[in-house]
Amino acid sequence: MQLETGTPRVIARKDGAIGHLIFNHPERRNALTLDMWQAIPRVTAAFSSDDVVRVVVLSGAGDKAFVSGADISEFETLRSNRASDLDYTAKTDAALHALEQLEKPSIAMIRGFCVGGGLAVALACDLRIAADDARFAIPAAKLGLGYGFAGIRTLMNTVGPAYAREVLYTARQFDAAEALRMSLVNAVVSVAELEPTVRTRATQIAENA
């Protein structure tokens, strides 16, 4: 059963007790446009109020990326001055807050790139399961951008201060093995095993009391 999200770039559907939120922008490696950010609270609210849904899985369409970050092609118009930048940031913060406050356990199923805003989305989930082709980064330092306190706190609470500094200061990409070592993800499996593994975890959660 598919739900209305307000944009074709986000797909929401139910598969029994499992809700799926799919970032559907594969031509841009699922980079998040503003309408995608705004769809996230709608979908989480729908899943939260649905007693049938017990767990939510987030994923990216295609085989290149979970989410490659915010769609910077929109920045020239949507973040052109302080007022518009504050408005944009408020909407992205609202999306991440909605994920963090989702009243059902959530799993990020990660293939390929999980970068910037995409990593923020994954960190807002309760569990992160990655394929061995996953790549992680927060490139803010390379772009001359600040990174918000809430995002830094979430990262530090997940991987600890030392690894958080390395992620933020170097802005380099980390492979799946490194991400597992620093506890950025809960598990790493082969590409072929990713969907079955996530389905098993989601089913285990859904069957609990």
Side-chain angles (χ1 to χ4, degrees):
M1 177 181 177
Q2 196 155 311
L3 309 178
E4 177 56 49
T5 66
T7 173
R9 291 173 175 165
V10 173
I11 297 170
R13 59 179 175 82
K14 296 195 303 180
D15 180 11
I18 302 172
H20 291 271
L21 191 164
I22 303 164
F23 299 109
N24 185 39
H25 196 194
E27 66 275 14
R28 297 277 297 173
R29 292 183 173 177
N30 299 321
L32 292 169
T33 54
L34 182 60
D35 60 338
M36 295 169 74
W37 284 112
Q38 291 177 302
I40 292 173
R42 296 190 199 106
V43 175
T44 56
F47 285 150
S48 290
S49 62
D50 189 330
D51 291 338
V52 174
V53 174
R54 303 294 305 278
V55 59
V56 177
V57 174
L58 284 74
S59 61
D63 59 5
K64 301 299 183 186
F66 172 71
V67 172
S68 62
D71 191 334
I72 61 173
S73 69
E74 294 188 325
F75 284 8
E76 186 174 352
T77 55
L78 295 180
R79 306 184 73 174
S80 58
N81 54 58
R82 178 168 173 76
S84 61
D85 183 60
L86 288 172
D87 180 66
Y88 180 92
T89 300
K91 289 170 179 170
T92 59
D93 286 349
L96 295 173
H97 182 73
L99 282 172
E100 291 168 351
Q101 298 302 311
L102 176 62
E103 295 179 1
K104 314 290 171 74
S106 57
I107 304 172
M109 182 171 72
I110 302 167
R111 275 207 69 180
F113 293 103
C114 181
V115 175
L119 183 50
V121 167
L123 285 167
C125 296
D126 296 303
L127 301 176
R128 287 161 294 282
I129 300 176
D132 53 16
D133 69 346
R135 295 293 181 270
F136 304 84
I138 296 178
K142 289 184 176 181
L143 302 173
L145 299 174
Y147 204 69
F149 172 74
I152 293 173
R153 180 183 58 197
T154 301
L155 176 66
M156 189 176 72
N157 288 344
T158 303
V159 303
Y163 280 128
R165 292 188 189 100
E166 185 174 358
V167 170
L168 292 167
Y169 292 170
T170 67
R172 72 179 181 88
Q173 284 191 15
F174 294 81
D175 64 24
E178 290 176 295
L180 182 62
R181 189 161 56 246
M182 68 173 72
S183 298
L184 188 61
V185 297
N186 298 86
V188 174
V189 298
S190 70
V191 169
E193 293 173 330
L194 181 61
E195 287 193 30
T197 299
V198 171
R199 190 182 310 115
T200 297
R201 294 285 191 279
T203 300
Q204 289 171 335
I205 293 170
E207 290 176 346
N208 284 336

